[in-house]
Amino acid sequence: MRTLIRRIWRIISLALHLVVGVFLVAFVFGFYSPLQRDRTTTRWAARLLRILHVRSITSRMPDLPNGALLVANHVSWLDIFVLLSARRVHFVSKHEVRAWPVIGWLAHRVGTLFIERAKKSDTARINQEMHALLLSGAWVAVFPEGTSTNGSKLLPFLPSLFQPAVSQNLPVVPVALDYVSPDDKRAPQVAYSDDISFTQSLWNICGESEIRARLNFLLPVSGSHRRELAERAHHEIASALGFNPAPVSGGSPAGIAGDLPDVKQ
């Protein structure tokens, strides 16, 4: 009974928090400076995590003077808010999210870029939009696995969205993200993958007393080719998560193929 009450209370609190987000974006953001909007976005994300009793444990971020491409492994829809609570970033998401009621509108208004997976040519458009953001000094975040996993593995990275970093000679910041329970064991109930629906994932998360999100910012990597960058970032994240990393060849790695993401977020 206690767990049921906890779940209901958190879902109600989350719904109210979503209403606050809609109000801020619809009626307040227009009066804010870009810096104020960014700070409000990060605070709103941090509050969402507190409602769900997700404790974010974040390492020190690299101090970079200009824009950067942030790449992270993808476990849950929570990943977005964990990253946003640490730093203002612009996400690249699947086009279908734009059509989601309320959430899609909010994501659009806070600067999310949407890619149509069925159109390979859409990658060029997204890369141009990423170029503009990176040139302005913003950070852009992608999940280069192209889909979410249950956290027990790291899929090969799709290289296409690494191109803006190559073209502008900007750093790529790998981020290793995992979720554990208070006793430091992996928390599979956080996963939003396979056949798990968003509703089931939310229900699972709301039933936990506490979840710890460990966000590990790694040293920036660079490379002269997008496949090389994808391989280097994959190697660093795999090592940080305790997986067996593939060797970095410096060329076009076998196993890193395809250009269109299939992001479940």
Side-chain angles (χ1 to χ4, degrees):
M1 179 60 71
R2 180 181 299 178
T3 300
L4 178 61
I5 293 173
R6 175 192 299 154
R7 282 174 164 147
I8 293 173
W9 174 250
R10 289 182 184 176
I11 289 173
I12 292 173
S13 300
L14 189 62
L16 293 174
H17 187 58
L18 188 61
V19 170
V20 171
V22 170
F23 174 82
L24 287 171
V25 171
F27 301 107
V28 180
F29 266 30
F31 300 99
Y32 279 179
S33 68
L35 180 59
Q36 288 175 314
R37 288 196 294 268
D38 288 350
R39 287 176 175 172
T40 300
T41 299
T42 56
R43 287 197 295 265
W44 188 87
R47 173 59 182 160
L48 182 145
L49 296 179
R50 288 195 294 272
I51 288 172
L52 296 177
H53 283 237
V54 177
R55 178 186 171 195
S56 182
I57 303 170
T58 305
S59 69
R60 183 177 179 179
M61 282 178 280
D63 186 14
L64 300 173
N66 300 309
L69 180 66
L70 183 150
V71 298
N73 59 302
H74 197 15
V75 179
S76 172
W77 54 271
L78 279 177
D79 301 350
I80 296 169
F81 304 105
V82 172
L83 287 167
L84 269 181
S85 69
R87 196 191 196 287
R88 176 66 167 105
V89 295
H90 295 263
F91 289 94
V92 176
S93 177
K94 64 180 181 178
H95 182 72
E96 290 85 344
V97 173
R98 180 66 181 89
W100 290 2
V102 184
I103 297 296
W105 179 81
L106 274 176
H108 171 68
R109 289 295 299 269
V110 299
T112 299
L113 307 180
F114 297 100
I115 184 170
E116 293 191 52
R117 300 173 300 171
K119 294 182 179 179
K120 191 171 184 178
S121 60
D122 204 43
T123 303
R125 178 188 62 82
I126 287 295
N127 280 339
Q128 289 179 353
E129 294 184 11
M130 291 171 64
H131 272 293
L133 283 169
L134 292 169
L135 282 173
S136 72
W139 283 30
V140 178
V142 299
F143 298 111
E145 289 172 283
T147 190
S148 52
T149 71
N150 62 10
S152 65
K153 59 185 177 181
L154 186 66
L155 300 176
F157 283 0
L158 304 169
S160 61
L161 297 180
F162 285 80
Q163 186 59 43
V166 174
S167 300
Q168 298 181 32
N169 195 28
L170 289 174
V172 170
V173 180
V175 177
L177 176 60
D178 68 339
Y179 298 89
V180 296
S181 57
D183 59 2
D184 238 19
K185 295 182 179 178
R186 187 169 65 87
Q189 62 274 18
V190 175
Y192 179 41
S193 62
D194 302 322
D195 295 327
I196 297 176
S197 66
F198 174 80
T199 303
Q200 183 61 55
S201 174
L202 176 62
W203 189 254
N204 292 341
I205 291 168
C206 288
E208 296 300 310
S209 58
E210 181 185 80
I211 294 169
R212 297 177 182 177
R214 299 188 298 198
L215 190 62
N216 188 6
F217 286 85
L218 307 172
L219 292 177
V221 298
S222 59
S224 58
H225 193 279
R226 66 189 187 187
R227 292 184 182 275
E228 178 185 356
L229 264 180
E231 187 182 39
R232 291 184 183 276
H234 187 277
H235 184 278
E236 294 302 315
I237 293 174
S239 297
L241 292 174
F243 300 137
N244 186 26
V248 178
S249 66
S252 299
I256 299 181
D259 277 351
L260 287 178
D262 183 15
V263 183
K264 185 176 183 180
Q265 63 183 46

